Each structure stands twice: as structure tokens, then as C-alpha cells.
Amino acid sequence: MRLAKEIARHDRLYHDRDEPEISDADYDALVRENRELEARFPHLVRKDSPSARLGAAPTSSLAKVTHARPMLSLDNAFSDAEVEEFVARARRFLSLPADAPVVLTAEPKIDGLSCSLRYENGALVQAATRGDGAVGEDVTANVRTIADIPQRIDGAPALLEVRGEVYMAKADFAALNARQEASGGKIFANPRNAAAGSLRQKDASVTAARPLRFLAHGWGEVSEPLADTQYDAMKRIEGFGIPVSDLLVRVDNLAHTLAHYSKIEHARADLPFDIDGVVYKVDRLDLQERLGFVARAPRWGLAHKFPAEKAETTLEAIDIQVGRTGKLTPVGRLKPVGVGGVIVSNVTLHNRDEIARLGLRIGDRVRIQRAGDVIPQVVENRTRDAPRDPYVFPDHCPECGSEAVAEEGEVDVRCTGGLICPAQRLERLKHFVSRGAMDIDGLGEKSLVEFISLDWLKAPSDIFRLKAHRDQLIGREGWQAVSVDKLLAAIDARIGFDPARFLFGLGIRHVGAVTAKDLMKAFGTVEELERVARSDSAIADLSNVEGVGGVVAQAVVDFFHEPHNREEVAQLLALAKPAAYVSTARETEWSGKTIVFTGTLETMSRDEAKAQAERLGARAAGSVSAKTDLVVAGPGAGSKLKKAEELGIRVMSEGEWLAEVANS
Ligand code: IVH
């Protein structure tokens, strides 16, 4: 599902890169939408569904730590009614009478990153980030530099994991960014990202120089209970010398609960750190135990989020930014205005449709909102009736002048000048030399960036012209004659290479490695493909190819329609001289058949399984339909296996498939 992918992308931006593109409220909305879709269409649930995951899996080079008890998340509420429903649900679950009091704790929801501190016999032995909830990253050395966190505690159980938020105070964040700016370092979007970036450092001396703080809000594994209630347990943790919020209270009815929420909301601007809501937890730990968890969140806890902050100002201009994948994103430039303590002068306008929906024109008065503290957005246009010309979304890329188009049914407008567009240069080059494409050894991202900055690389064809820079390159830092010649030889080795990989390397939208093979199987050479793509019957001819549908056909036509692309392809063909396509598939019983691999494959990767299928002349598909000829099912195969059985499709195990491969 596209939505799940989109969520995963935002997870990575947020967790790995500390550079979120959307507000927390927007993110929450995506997650909700995904959950609703999954509830309606359970067969679409991805194995890596964000509902089953908490944030991105750790990807940095820090060591991994498997949490003794998973680090969970909280469900969100945005209204008083949802808070009331939370308590009612807990009561129903516990079969308590409708008027039975349920005591809760209430405390601020700190906008930091959660961290688990493991104390053994009073000594801090390990600290880990949440990661994906099951596996986090080892940040022990970094955490040892945080003054709020004691290295030793007295009177604690032999084993105690304290959990809480590592955060950066607002004032410290502002000072850090000022220092970063002065030294040309990375500017952080908000205190949370600064805290994350500071904690997840390989070199703990960097962390030590950053003013990080800690507030406990719970615990993980313990060798003996801390207390009978959440409140008393937190007071014990406080007694160990670990900071706990002084806004933590017990509340025993809805009115008290909401009153404390208001109190914290009013204190918000004056608190030294960012908060984005109030967290409620059922106080009695025996009840917490009985309530347990659903998917990723406990039934005994709830995050009551603050509403977004709003302000009104004038839209002074609309600029278009071109992303690394060619997407044109409109950005509104505003007359600067304060929203919740921050001066805002830019808003994301998302896409062409959003501008149309709001009827935005330059000079309009707009209401903007800042939810969480990421990029604000326009929620309302206050001057729709003024006699002004409508804003016309560009139909050409502002970076390279190529045509910019939206695919049918898509809201995003994209630059079609992929091969020559400077905004997309690095991504395109990376893709062109990648393993599945031209597979040029020794041309990693670092070298590409270096050559781009020297102006040696603008488009993929320049790779085959690098030899002209041999002498200049030798002697640059990190390059010697041997390594330069090795690189040039690796490039030369790709002259006369497989045309399907060449085609895949062009990065035409929707033309993946398999589709590229299908196209080359049908047309033999890239020249012939281009001829067909420019003919009057292009869409029909391309759609006729096995494995190619209307969307791919249109993308190929759009690509070759762009003169810049044709020019670059011509140069590439002259230099790289791809061979004519030779099918590596054999004629076997499986030729032309469609195979679906599902469940866990135990002896090979999914890519390898696909390659095996292709070598036997078969196609590997992602979903089971009446057209499927075989399903290879490993452990954990779910809905696809069920569907195969319903449709009477042949099913085999991985072992049987391997025997088939060996015998074919
Ligand atoms: S309790 C099992 N209390 O919010 C639930 N979490 O959205 C454990 N957070 O992962 C979380 N302040 O990183 C709790 N007072 C607080 C919190 C808090 C911030 C974070 C925490 C958690 C996330 C859930």
C-alpha cells in the first residue's frame, strides 16, 4: 500500500535523519488513515505495516540492543470525549460498574526521544533508544555524558530499567543552533531533532558537548515491583535521584483530569522544554497488568494531544522546490508571523491540488497552523473573493526547464527531465551506477558528490567521460593512480553491457528492473524502444508487452518525449554502447508462468527467489490472482496462501521449489 510506504518514508526522515517533512499531526492522520484502511481491507495489511511498528528500525552504525520488554507507544486523543471514552473502555474491559472511579496519573508529554536506562545492582550498565520498539540502539556511552542521569543509584531493585525522555531545553536548543550556524554546522528543525541528533552519535564526546536532559516517565524490566501504583513507583524513581516531572499528579475523575490538562496547556509556553500533550495512565499497577496491550499501545495509557496553534498572515509568494526525485513542491512565503512562540515565514502548500482547494493567490490572507513543531501549513484562505488572478502551477521544472507533469489520478507534479535536472542529479547518478543497474564498482555516493562538485558529472553520460579527468583526479585526497585506474577500468567494463540494466539505470518512472527486462525482451535495443515510444501507436504498442501496463507505457512515452532526455540517451548510447538483449532465461516447464513467493523464505532472499524464477523463464509477481500459476509458501504465509487455496492454485514449499529449480 502506498500509504504504508509513505509512512515508512516519514519514519525514516524523522528517526534516522532527524529531518521531518510533515507535522506530527499530519503524521498521526496518516497513521490513523492507514489503520482504518487496514481494518477495512485486512488482506492489504503489509507485513511491515506501520501499525505493527513503532518508528523506524535503527539503521545507524550504533550497536543494536534488544529490549527486555518492548518499548511501546501511546494512542492519541484530541478531544475531551475521547478521554472520556478511554476511561469508559478501561472500565468495560475490567468489567467495572459505569460509575466506578478509575484513578489516573496525568503528566506532560515531553517532546523528546525515549530512552531506556538499565541499572544492575545500582549501577548504570546500558542505555538504549527505542528504535522500532523491539530493538533499539546502544547509546550507553552517550547517556553517561548526561548530567541528569545518575551513574549509580541507591535503594533500587537489583535490576531496574528506567524509561523516559531525553530532551533538549528550548533555550539550549536556540543556543546550539546559533553555535551551529556560526560554525557552519547542521541546523536542527526543533529541540527534539536536536536531541535525537545529539544522542545518536558514534562519538560520545559530541554528545557531551550538547546540553541534553532527561525526565523519567516509566520503567521496563524490574526484578521486583517498585510500588502498587504508577504514582508511587514514579515517586520512588524520583527518590533514586532521577528527574520526574513536577507536573505529575493523580486525578480521580474526568473533571480533575481535564482541569489538569488545562493547567499544563497554560503552563506550556513557560515550560523550559517542548511538550505536545498530556499523558494519562491508569494508576493501579494491578489494573495496568490486567488491561495489557493492543498492537503497539497499552490499554492503560493515553496521550491527550494539544490542538494545533493558529495565526493569520499574508501569502507573499509561492516558490516551487524540486525534490531529489523530481517532485515539485509549492512552498508559501509568508509575511512573518508568530505562532505559539515561533516566527513562521514559510508554509508547505503540499501540491497543486491543495493550492486549488484553498483557492490560493499571491496576496491572500491565510490562516496557518503549526501542529507539533514541524513545518506549518495553511488551513484556510480568508480572502477567496478578492478579484485576483488564480495562481498557475508551473508546467515546467524551475530547475531544468523540462516539462513537469502529473500522472493520471496523481496529485504530484513531477519534472520529466530526470537525467539532466540538477535537483535530481545525485539520485539519478546513484541509481545509474547501482547494483541492479550498471553496477559500477567504486563509484559510491562520496565519489559522485565529489565529481559533481568538480563539475565533472552532470548527467550519467559524463561517467564515461571521466577518463578525461584522470590526471586531475590522481593526487586528490584519497585517490592514487591505482585507485583511479581501477575505477576507470570498472567504468570501461560496462561498455557493451546488458541493455536491460542500462534501461533500468535511466530511472524512468515505473520502469523497475523486471519491467526493463520485459521491455528489452520485446524490443531488443534501447534505440528500438525509443522509436516505438515516439511513434503514433506508442501507448498501444508498449502496453502490448507482457508485464507492461498503461501507467508504464505512459511513463516511457513521457520520458522519451522530453528532448533533454533524448539528447542524454543518445550520448549514453554512443558512449556505453549497450549490447542487444540476450535473454538469460531457459525454456522450461515454467516458461511464461507466474509465480508468487509468500511467507518467510528460509534459505534465500526474495530477490534470489525472483531471479531463480526468471532464469526458468517465469515471472515473479507480488499478489495472487487467477493468473497465478504457482505459490511458493514459507512459514507465516497468510492471506496469499489462503487465496491460492481458494483459487485452487498449485502451492509448494521452499524445499520443493528448490528441487524444481535444481531439476529444471
Ligand atoms: S508513557 C507504554 N509518558 O511518547 C507507554 N510517554 O507516544 C510508554 N512520551 O514512546 C510511554 N512523554 O517516548 C509516556 N509522560 C510520558 C511521555 C511519554 C513523552 C513519549 C514516549 C513514548 C511516546 C508515545
Side-chain angles (χ1 to χ4, degrees), residues 72-74 107-110 114 130 165 217 279 281 298 300:
L72 293 142
S73 185
L74 289 168
E107 73 201 290
K109 184 168 192 301
I110 301 115
S114 45
R130 181 170 75 173
E165 297 292 292
H217 51 60
V279 176
K281 296 167 196 169
W300 46 261

Side-chain angles (χ1 to χ4, degrees), residues 285-296:
L285 298 183
D286 59 330
L287 298 186
Q288 283 194 9
E289 182 80 22
R290 281 174 56 198
L291 284 160
F293 302 88
V294 246
R296 59 189 228 155

Side-chain angles (χ1 to χ4, degrees), residues 171-236:
D172 290 335
F173 161 72
L176 170 65
N177 259 358
R179 285 203 303 278
Q180 294 287 102
E181 187 157 13
S183 65
K186 173 176 173 158
I187 304 293
F188 295 100
N190 54 50
R192 181 189 47 217
N193 298 121
S198 302
L199 183 65
R200 298 169 69 241
Q201 288 284 340
K202 281 208 81 174
D203 178 359
S205 68
V206 177
T207 312
R210 303 274 173 85
L212 292 178
R213 313 221 36 187
F214 184 80
L215 268 179
H217 51 60
W219 59 93
E221 199 178 15
V222 277
S223 53
E224 58 188 270
L226 288 169
D228 292 335
T229 63
Q230 176 79 25
Y231 187 83
D232 291 340
M234 293 315 296
K235 287 291 155 188
R236 267 198 80 191

Side-chain angles (χ1 to χ4, degrees), residues 499-500 518-529 578-582:
D518 290 341
L519 286 166
M520 282 301 96
K521 215 183 285 175
F523 300 112
T525 64
V526 176
E527 288 89 337
E528 176 63 9
L529 172 68
Y581 185 71
V582 185

